[in-house]
Each structure stands twice: as C-alpha cells, then as structure tokens.
Amino acid sequence: MNKVMSRTVPPRPRHRPPTRRDTRRPGGAPPRTAGRPAATRARNPRTAPEAAVRQPRPTDLFADRLLAVLSGQRPVHWMLRHTAGRAYDDLARLAERGPLRARGMRPVVQDIGYYVAGEGALEVFARVATGDRLRAMAFRLERGEDLRWRCTAVETGPA
C-alpha cells in the first residue's frame, strides 16, 4: 500500500519561538481557564486530550536527522544509535562527500513519502530543497524488537 504525505505547513523560522494555536479563537490566543489552577485542569479527564502532545512521525524525524548529517550541520556519530547494520558506514561515506551541503542556504525537507515494505519496515523518500534546487534522499526504517525505529539503509540522488 502506497502512502504519500507532504508537509502542508512550511517550516517555521528558527528566530521566533513557537506559539500556541487554538482554532476556536480567531487570534490564536490560548483558551481561557476560568480561574482554576493548572493542577486541577491537568487532572480533569475532559481536558486530557487537549494536553496530549502529538508525536512526530518516525519518517519526519529520520528525514530531519539524516538531512542534518548529510548537509554538515551535525556530525555523523550523532546517528550512531539510530542506525543498524551497514547504514552507519554508508552514512559516513555519504556525509564525507556532503551531498546535501549548500552554500548560503540551509536545505529543508520539502516532501516526504513512504511505502510500507512489510510489518515493521518502511521505505521512505524525501525531496530536499535548497533554494531553487531539489535533491532526492531515500532511506529504510525498520522497527526492532525494542520497538524503536532504526535506519538500515540510506541513499541520495546523483550529485
């Protein structure tokens, strides 16, 4: 089954702190709490879903992590515990060439898609934008017995 997703919200600039968004209010202001203390609101079962934090998808996390390594923003050993098999050696060889490194502009992941190759295995592709150039990055994620996702293969498009 093919599933394709894209990031609908452009990445936020890094110089502004994130803001809360409330779709019920036009200005995006946080909802009023009617004077109850925060501890009482947290224990109320009706407000528990509101307080739940959405976890990012493993495809998004690994795309951002791999991009940081392949663009030279992070060292290769930063991915050591997130890789399995030959993926770390392949990543080290790729990072040495710096395939996604760009002058002046910071590369960003534009679109992400994935294919479910089997139970506990995802094959992911991503489009990386640097200014007006688009590059390709592909990697495979496998879920281990400890239920953690690890990258087992990584490739980039031709230079």
Side-chain angles (χ1 to χ4, degrees), residues 58-67 69-70 76 78-92 94 120-126 137-144 146-156:
T59 55
D60 293 346
L61 286 174
F62 275 89
D64 289 336
R65 288 175 181 166
L66 288 170
L67 178 62
V69 171
L70 294 174
V76 179
W78 188 57
M79 287 292 295
L80 186 59
R81 66 187 200 122
H82 302 290
T83 56
R86 291 185 15 208
Y88 182 77
D89 297 332
D90 294 342
L91 184 61
L94 279 172
L122 299 173
E123 292 181 356
V124 185
F125 58 90
M137 177 174 62
F139 53 96
R140 181 178 173 95
L141 296 177
E142 292 183 9
R143 191 174 224 168
D146 59 354
L147 302 180
R148 290 182 49 198
W149 291 98
R150 287 188 177 81
C151 181
T152 57
V154 62
E155 292 181 15
T156 59

Side-chain angles (χ1 to χ4, degrees), residues 39-113:
T40 306
R41 285 191 313 268
R43 279 186 260 129
N44 188 346
R46 287 180 287 165
T47 60
E50 295 174 12
V53 177
R54 289 189 65 199
Q55 294 294 321
R57 294 182 174 114
T59 55
D60 293 346
L61 286 174
F62 275 89
D64 289 336
R65 288 175 181 166
L66 288 170
L67 178 62
V69 171
L70 294 174
S71 65
Q73 298 170 18
R74 291 282 189 167
V76 179
H77 67 267
W78 188 57
M79 287 292 295
L80 186 59
R81 66 187 200 122
H82 302 290
T83 56
R86 291 185 15 208
Y88 182 77
D89 297 332
D90 294 342
L91 184 61
R93 250 181 261 115
L94 279 172
E96 196 173 285
R97 292 185 294 157
L100 300 177
R101 198 168 287 167
R103 296 179 195 254
M105 299 199 76
R106 179 179 237 169
V108 294
V109 176
Q110 188 177 29
D111 289 326
I112 297 176

